């Protein structure tokens, strides 16, 4: 049975501005299991960063409960909270390195603060630099490093504190795609090697699909959908999830047929000539409105929007064929509406 390490219960966070009270989070509840890589995604202003900062009480919630390792953080004294925070590491978009200290001294810094002798702290720091593949840069300074190298130093510094949880707040947003991929690969290695639970805050669906086991979707401070990453990609239930997953939603606006189905495929089915077979069998063409294939946790995942023929008998036959092939056909008349309502984002 999986063990929960983070529980968020009916969390609310309000900020007071000149224009009045603003609700950043509204009644958010979620659970994160130990050793999981959990993604939290949403567009700008969705409340992602506020939520992750509430997980270690850098932001104190207006109401609700944050439970970490079975302890309610909101009920702890300041001293007890400081102790619990040592188990929660955090990395940010802009690295937050000490520019006047060398790479090895940056990594050793939290060890020195916790009471390690300088010599021992540097020795441990070198071990963690090796873990992130940056031993050769030990004596360099942050100004001499690339963005990806700086983030690796930040990760090594967090590892030096031996956290049980690692919070990543848009940690790859400032990096190019290739560097982002390498950092995500490193985070996955860390998760597997050290058993650290990782929470990833991002607005990029490509980050979620690369490493996350589970995902929560936020919209305007509310949790609108959650589940496994595979579930989200195969069958997003809400309009916001569809906007994020279905990045080609502008094609929806070109639909003219009354019958359109979305099919999802994964594993071997992604490589079968399903559409070719059904066209040959029914002697009826279909129109591909949208198609996308991606890799999620090493498995091929994809989806298509298919405009069916006007003949309902043939359309029904095609839908049944898709069902027999395990492609989960879904009528998507509501997609046109959800794709068009994007002005508030």
């Amino acid at each position: 049975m999986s063990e929960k390490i983070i529980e968020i219960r009916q969390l609310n966070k309000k900020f007071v501005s000149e224009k009045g009270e603003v609700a950043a989070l509204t009644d958010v509840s979620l659970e994160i299991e130990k050793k999981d890589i959990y993604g939290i995604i949403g567009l700008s202003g969705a409340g992602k960063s506020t939520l992750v900062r509430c997980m270690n009480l850098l932001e104190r919630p207006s109401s609700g409960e944050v439970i970490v390792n079975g302890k309610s953080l909101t009920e702890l004294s300041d001293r007890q909270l400081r102790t619990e925070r040592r188990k929660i590491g955090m990395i940010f978009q802009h690295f937050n390195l000490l520019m006047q200290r060398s790479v090895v001294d940056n990594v050793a810094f939290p060890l020195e603060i916790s009471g390690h002798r300088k010599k021992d702290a540097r020795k441990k720091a070198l071990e963690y630099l090796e873990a992130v593949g940056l031993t050769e840069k030990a004596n360099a300074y942050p100004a001499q490093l690339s963005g990806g190298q700086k983030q690796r130093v930040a990760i090594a510094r967090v590892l030096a504190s031996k956290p049980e949880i690692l919070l990543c707040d848009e940690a790859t947003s400032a990096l190019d795609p290739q560097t982002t991929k390498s950092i995500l690969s490193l985070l996955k290695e860390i998760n597997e090697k050290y058993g650290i639970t990782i929470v990833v805050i991002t607005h990029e669906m490509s980050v979620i699909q690369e490493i996350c086991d589970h995902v929560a979707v936020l919209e305007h401070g509310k949790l609108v959908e959650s589940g496994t990453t595979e579930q989200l990609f195969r069958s997003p239930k809400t309009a916001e999830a569809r906007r994020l997953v279905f990045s080609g939603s502008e094609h929806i606006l070109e639909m003219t047929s009354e019958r359109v189905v979305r099919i999802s495929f994964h594993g071997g089915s992604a490589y079968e000539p399903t559409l070719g077979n059904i066209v040959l069998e029914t002697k009826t063409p279909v129109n591909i409105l949208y198609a996308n294939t991606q890799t999620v946790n090493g498995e091929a995942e994809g989806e298509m929007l298919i405009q069916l023929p006007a003949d309902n008998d043939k359309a029904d036959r095609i839908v049944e064929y898709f069902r027999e092939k395990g492609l989960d056909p879904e009528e998507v008349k509501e997609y046109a509406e959800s794709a068009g309502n994007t002005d508030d984002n």
Side-chain angles (χ1 to χ4, degrees), residues 7 12 17 20 24 45 110 116 128 136 154 165 188 219 223 234 236 252 266 278 285 288 301 327 341:
E7 297 174 73
N12 292 278
S17 69
H116 287 72
Y128 289 112
E136 75 281 359
I165 299 167
K188 195 160 190 173
E219 181 182 22
L223 179 66
R234 291 177 188 172
I252 307 285
H266 51 91
I278 191 61
I288 301 173
E301 300 286 341
L327 299 178
N341 296 332

Side-chain angles (χ1 to χ4, degrees), residues 68-86:
V68 177
N69 277 320
K71 297 179 181 179
S72 179
L73 298 190
T74 50
E75 297 178 0
L76 299 180
S77 66
D78 289 344
R79 182 176 180 181
Q80 291 171 325
L81 182 57
R82 284 195 296 271
T83 299
E84 292 305 311
R85 276 183 179 151
R86 294 190 190 116

Side-chain angles (χ1 to χ4, degrees), residues 137-158:
K137 296 293 185 180
N139 295 316
Y141 285 82
Q144 298 171 298
L145 304 179
S146 67
Q149 289 170 337
K150 289 177 183 176
Q151 196 58 283
R152 285 175 182 268
V153 176
I155 292 170
R157 184 177 58 186
V158 169

Side-chain angles (χ1 to χ4, degrees), residues 104-118:
V104 68
D105 286 336
N106 261 280
V107 179
F109 186 62
L111 295 169
E112 294 172 14
I113 290 177
S114 63
H116 287 72
R117 291 185 303 175
K118 189 171 183 177

Side-chain angles (χ1 to χ4, degrees), residues 153-214:
V153 176
I155 292 170
R157 184 177 58 186
V158 169
L159 291 179
S161 300
K162 295 186 177 180
E164 296 178 21
I165 299 167
L166 177 57
L167 307 178
C168 306
D169 190 4
E170 298 280 10
T172 59
S173 294
L175 307 176
D176 62 76
Q178 185 174 353
T179 305
T180 291
K181 196 173 183 68
S182 71
I183 294 297
L184 294 177
S185 178
L186 173 61
L187 290 174
K188 195 160 190 173
E189 289 174 16
I190 288 168
N191 169 258
E192 294 169 354
K193 181 177 180 180
Y194 298 103
I196 297 174
T197 304
I198 299 178
V199 180
V200 177
I201 301 298
T202 184
H203 63 278
E204 299 173 287
M205 190 56 78
S206 59
V207 171
I208 297 294
Q209 73 187 53
E210 187 72 25
I211 63 168
C212 294
D213 304 307
H214 294 83

